Amino acid sequence: MWDSESESTNYNGVLTLNHAVQTDRFEQRGRSWYVATHIPSDFLVQIGGFSFHLHKSPLLSKSGKMNRIIQESKEIDSKKVILDDLPGGAESFELAAKFCYGIAIDLTSTVIAGLRCAAEYLEMTEEFEEGNLIFKTEAFLNYVVMSSWKDSILVLKSCEKLSPWAENLQIVRRCSESVALKACAGHNRVRWKQTGKQDSSPSRSRVLPDWWCEDISILNIDHFVRVITAIKVKGMRYELIGSAIMHYATKSLPGMIKEGSTGSVEEGASSSNSATATGGDWNCRLHMIIAVNKGDHSSSPQGRCQRMIIESLISIIPSQNDSVSCSFLLRLLRLATMVDVAPALITELEKRVGMQLEQATLADLLIPSYNRSETMYDVDLFQRVLEHFLIQEKMEISSPRRQPMIDKNKGTRGGNDSSAKMKVARLVDGYLTEVSKDKNLSLPKFQVLVEALPESARSCDDGIYRAIDSYLKAHPMLQEHDRRRLCKVMDIQKLSLDACRHAAQNERLPLRVVVQVIFSEQIKLSNTIANTVYKASGEPNYQPIIPNRKTLLEETPQSFQDGWATAKKDITTLKFDVETVKTKYLELQHDIESLQRQYDKITKLKHRSAWSSGWKKLSKITKITTIEDTGIGSQGNTEHTVKTPRRWRNSLS
């Protein structure tokens, strides 16, 4: 083995070693490296397309692996070796080779992990020389890197291409623990950077509690999960962990930033809390890469990468309800359905959304259905989310001792359960109004969503009326009995005056519903007038009519019961009267036609017998004249007198 006197020093991370082979640099010519010395090289190392023309002696003195390789090469008379599997590649081997030649190398946070793995690969242990490369790199990691916040993150970032060596050497674990410890310790106790260019720390007067979220967002998903897991163990507040997760998703996943926003984490949280269920602000629709074919996108490299990130993020979201915003969960759910995330994780996301549904916005709830044969929006997904919300409500009612969920703005979950239900009811009404325009939406699905919430969740049914009217407009061929069945889910008594006026003139509604609307409007007007009169008179015993469709007949006075019963009878009577009038009209028309035929017949007969009637008048006059002549000549022959007129009459006929 090659032997020489050596000595090593370390000044601020600069390693030097003096050997008998005198050189102070390597020279690069294209993709080849040469030692700047007059001694010709006798050994060639090839790594990833780069060639290193070296000498055997320096390598033998430092590396156990190179000892074995050189010994084997002598047996087969070879002066070349290929080390494509060396961790860190040509960059790390260059530094290791310079160390063997005693050339000074600078240790920084960006190269130390690769150099440590390369030293382990080359077996540069203390067995060959005291203070060998493994010892030097380990000392730098433990005493320099682990004491610095940014150096720990940079080393962890550089470990992405060093698996499994960085894992086996515990570099990832140690850096993750270091980052977690400093994040939990606080901004004031962090040593920012030790190596390379010195960075000034942020202004301490303006540091937010989640100051560390931006720095760890540069890590890949595996190392990010390791850091978040370590932070959880050390007791970091769950809302700060959620803030880090949202920030990471915003930077790593396309489609997680809303239009017009800066991508800040607080923007997503505040928008979810302040939004109402109307969904009118369509400027908040998401930028999203929606593939033409869902299967093609989920099987593409980008789709697989997104699926891995989403599945990892779902697994580390804190269990507390308000750790992340509902808007963030819905956007994550949208992407999860697009890239075919595991069904169990999608179910978990749906449960989380259901637990915070009152914080959602309509724009986020309108998740497209990526199967062309189905409806425009994923109505089944929304129905499952709504079911999870109702299950959560029942659990809270049945377990009053449970701590209520905390709302960031109000202190409790929407104030109380009824407030949360009312917010969700407005969301459901807005959602129904949007999806009702889809001609492929079946009536049973629409009706199930309308009836999902209890009646107490809505103080006004104007939203349901708008949704029903929109559905009837989009489905003009709906049968009459289906229209009546659909309108039964709407409480007429809960419609506002404007909605009643519109419904009373709505031709798409069944007649019975229109009559009910008119009667309900009359009751409301009566109550308003009565309230005004009794307040003016100071009458304390007045009780208004209760506008509830189920209790109307039991709670209202008898006069109104009779009025309602009469109104229902009037509907039947009106129908009967219409049929009667129609029958009488047909009979009258038949009589008129008969009279017209008789009149025409009589007119024709008069024209045909005009001359006959004239001759009859003439014969009557002649007969009278003959009788007078007979009276004057009474002395004549009686038989002759009788026969003569008879012959004349016969001649006339």
Side-chain angles (χ1 to χ4, degrees):
M1 182 178 293
W2 178 76
D3 189 14
S4 67
E5 294 295 327
S6 64
E7 128 182 324
S8 61
T9 57
N10 180 7
Y11 298 104
N12 294 328
V14 178
L15 301 181
T16 61
L17 189 62
N18 299 321
H19 282 285
V21 179
Q22 297 296 327
T23 183
D24 59 354
R25 69 185 188 279
F26 278 14
E27 295 178 351
Q28 185 177 11
R29 303 169 189 171
R31 298 178 67 86
S32 299
W33 289 90
Y34 296 88
V35 181
T37 180
H38 63 280
I39 303 175
S41 62
D42 57 1
F43 195 68
L44 176 63
V45 179
Q46 290 185 340
I47 302 175
F50 288 88
S51 299
F52 292 86
H53 300 267
L54 307 175
H55 304 84
K56 294 181 180 179
S57 299
L59 301 178
L60 290 172
S61 66
K62 299 291 183 180
S63 171
K65 186 175 182 67
M66 297 305 296
N67 267 275
R68 290 195 305 274
I69 291 175
I70 291 173
Q71 291 296 330
E72 294 172 358
S73 66
K74 287 182 179 180
E75 296 176 0
I76 60 176
D77 194 19
S78 174
K79 295 183 178 181
K80 183 178 73 171
V81 64
I82 299 176
L83 301 178
D84 287 337
D85 58 343
L86 184 141
E91 182 182 6
S92 296
F93 183 77
E94 177 196 349
L95 296 175
K98 288 181 177 179
F99 178 82
C100 293
Y101 278 87
I103 300 175
I105 58 176
D106 291 333
L107 298 183
T108 64
S109 57
T110 57
V111 302
I112 188 61
L115 187 58
R116 172 65 182 90
C117 294
E120 189 71 21
Y121 177 89
L122 295 173
E123 301 176 13
M124 302 177 71
T125 63
E126 299 296 296
E127 179 183 353
F128 296 91
E129 183 178 83
E130 184 178 355
N132 209 340
L133 189 57
I134 290 179
F135 175 80
K136 301 290 186 182
T137 52
E138 274 293 325
F140 188 84
L141 281 171
N142 292 329
Y143 295 106
V144 178
V145 172
M146 300 305 166
S147 63
S148 168
W149 164 258
K150 289 190 176 180
D151 285 341
S152 298
I153 293 177
L154 291 175
V155 170
L156 196 55
K157 176 68 176 176
S158 66
C159 290
E160 295 175 1
K161 299 179 180 180
L162 299 174
S163 180
W165 288 90
E167 288 283 354
N168 296 336
L169 295 175
Q170 304 296 315
I171 299 176
V172 174
R173 181 191 62 79
R174 286 182 287 173
C175 289
S176 300
E177 292 288 338
S178 173
V179 172
L181 182 64
K182 292 172 176 57
C184 295
H187 172 270
N188 294 334
R189 300 176 61 183
V190 171
R191 189 178 183 182
W192 288 94
K193 193 169 184 179
Q194 182 69 23
T195 65
K197 182 179 179 180
Q198 295 295 325
D199 288 353
S200 59
S201 63
S203 175
R204 296 188 178 184
S205 61
R206 297 183 180 180
V207 174
L208 299 174
D210 58 353
W211 58 269
W212 47 275
C213 297
E214 175 66 26
D215 290 338
I216 66 173
S217 64
I218 67 172
L219 303 175
N220 73 348
I221 186 61
D222 293 333
H223 296 160
F224 179 79
V225 170
R226 292 286 292 271
V227 171
I228 292 297
T229 303
I231 288 177
K232 281 184 178 181
V233 172
K234 297 186 182 301
M236 175 70 75
R237 300 204 317 256
Y238 66 85
E239 63 269 18
L240 295 180
I241 295 176
S243 179
I245 293 173
M246 289 190 289
H247 192 88
Y248 186 87
T250 300
K251 297 190 67 174
S252 303
L253 294 172
M256 295 301 295
I257 302 179
K258 291 185 176 182
E259 182 177 345
S261 70
T262 59
S264 63
V265 176
E266 278 71 20
E267 183 275 332
S270 62
S271 64
S272 65
N273 291 333
S274 62
T276 62
T278 59
D281 187 7
W282 295 111
N283 290 329
C284 291
R285 289 195 178 275
L286 302 178
H287 286 300
M288 181 169 297
I289 302 174
I290 299 179
V292 175
N293 190 310
K294 172 185 173 183
D296 293 344
H297 179 69
S298 60
S299 60
S300 65
Q302 182 185 9
R304 289 194 297 270
C305 179
Q306 290 184 4
R307 180 166 60 249
M308 181 181 66
I309 293 175
I310 293 171
E311 290 178 348
S312 300
L313 292 179
I314 295 173
S315 64
I316 61 174
I317 295 177
S319 58
Q320 289 81 0
N321 291 328
D322 289 333
S323 57
V324 293
S325 68
C326 187
S327 178
F328 168 79
L329 291 173
L330 282 167
R331 283 177 275 156
L332 196 63
L333 180 59
R334 182 189 296 244
L335 290 177
T337 57
M338 187 176 69
V339 298
D340 282 335
V341 169
L345 294 176
I346 289 183
T347 301
E348 179 64 23
L349 265 183
E350 291 172 352
K351 289 181 180 178
R352 296 297 300 266
V353 173
M355 295 166 67
Q356 303 173 232
L357 187 57
E358 71 276 6
Q359 302 175 10
T361 64
L362 179 57
D364 290 332
L365 285 172
L366 292 172
I367 298 177
S369 177
Y370 297 102
N371 190 339
R372 291 183 178 179
S373 62
E374 298 178 356
T375 55
M376 183 184 302
Y377 297 107
D378 198 338
V379 179
D380 294 332
L381 184 148
F382 180 75
Q383 182 179 347
R384 292 193 298 270
V385 169
L386 190 57
E387 289 173 355
H388 290 309
F389 169 79
L390 295 174
I391 291 173
Q392 177 68 21
E393 289 291 321
K394 290 180 180 178
M395 291 175 61
E396 291 185 354
I397 293 174
S398 60
S399 303
R401 294 183 179 180
R402 294 180 59 189
Q403 184 178 359
M405 291 183 291
I406 302 300
D407 189 289
K408 294 179 181 179
N409 293 333
K410 299 182 180 180
T412 60
R413 178 176 177 171
N416 50 55
D417 292 339
S418 60
S419 175
K421 287 182 180 178
M422 292 177 66
K423 291 180 181 179
V424 172
R426 290 194 293 270
L427 272 176
V428 172
D429 294 345
Y431 185 85
L432 287 171
T433 302
E434 288 299 321
V435 301
S436 63
K437 302 171 185 177
D438 187 1
K439 295 182 179 180
N440 295 326
L441 180 63
S442 63
L443 179 60
K445 280 189 177 182
F446 183 82
Q447 193 167 355
V448 166
L449 286 179
V450 175
E451 296 176 337
L453 293 175
E455 291 186 6
S456 59
R458 295 181 176 91
S459 60
C460 179
D461 273 12
D462 285 9
I464 294 182
Y465 170 68
R466 281 193 295 268
I468 291 175
D469 184 48
S470 178
Y471 188 86
L472 294 176
K473 186 184 298 183
H475 300 78
M477 304 305 295
L478 201 63
Q479 298 295 327
E480 183 67 19
H481 66 277
D482 290 332
R483 293 172 182 267
R484 290 196 299 267
R485 186 178 67 176
L486 179 60
C487 291
K488 285 182 180 179
V489 302
M490 175 177 57
D491 190 349
I492 303 297
Q493 309 301 326
K494 289 185 178 181
L495 294 180
S496 66
L497 189 59
D498 292 337
C500 286
R501 290 174 179 173
H502 185 276
Q505 302 175 3
N506 195 338
E507 297 179 354
R508 290 181 288 271
L509 297 179
L511 177 61
R512 179 183 179 87
V513 177
V514 174
V515 173
Q516 290 176 348
V517 169
I518 295 173
F519 181 66
S520 173
E521 189 175 3
Q522 291 176 350
I523 292 178
K524 292 175 183 177
L525 290 174
S526 299
N527 283 337
T528 303
I529 295 172
N531 280 329
T532 304
V533 173
Y534 279 96
K535 284 182 180 179
S537 61
E539 177 63 38
N541 298 325
Y542 169 70
Q543 294 182 354
I545 301 171
I546 300 175
N548 188 294
R549 59 178 174 179
K550 290 186 176 180
T551 61
L552 182 63
L553 294 179
E554 292 83 359
E555 300 291 342
T556 55
Q558 184 64 33
S559 60
F560 285 100
Q561 294 186 32
D562 297 339
W564 176 244
T566 303
K568 293 199 293 186
K569 290 180 181 179
D570 288 344
I571 296 174
T572 305
T573 304
L574 286 172
K575 290 182 179 179
F576 178 76
D577 290 343
V578 169
E579 294 296 330
T580 303
V581 170
K582 185 177 180 181
T583 303
K584 291 183 177 180
Y585 171 77
L586 293 174
E587 292 177 355
L588 182 60
Q589 187 176 12
H590 181 268
D591 293 341
I592 291 173
E593 292 176 354
S594 178
L595 290 173
Q596 183 67 35
R597 287 195 298 270
Q598 293 178 6
Y599 174 78
D600 293 340
K601 185 177 180 181
I602 293 171
T603 303
K604 290 180 181 179
L605 290 174
K606 285 183 177 181
H607 284 292
R608 291 177 182 177
S609 59
W611 286 102
S612 299
S613 59
W615 284 111
K616 287 180 181 179
K617 291 180 180 179
L618 182 60
S619 64
K620 188 180 293 184
I621 296 171
T622 305
K623 184 177 180 180
I624 295 172
T625 306
T626 304
I627 293 172
E628 291 178 351
D629 292 341
T630 305
I632 297 172
S634 58
Q635 300 297 325
N637 191 352
T638 304
E639 183 178 357
H640 175 78
T641 306
V642 173
K643 287 182 179 179
T644 301
R646 185 179 300 170
R647 286 197 300 269
W648 174 78
R649 184 170 59 249
N650 290 336
S651 64
L652 289 177
S653 62

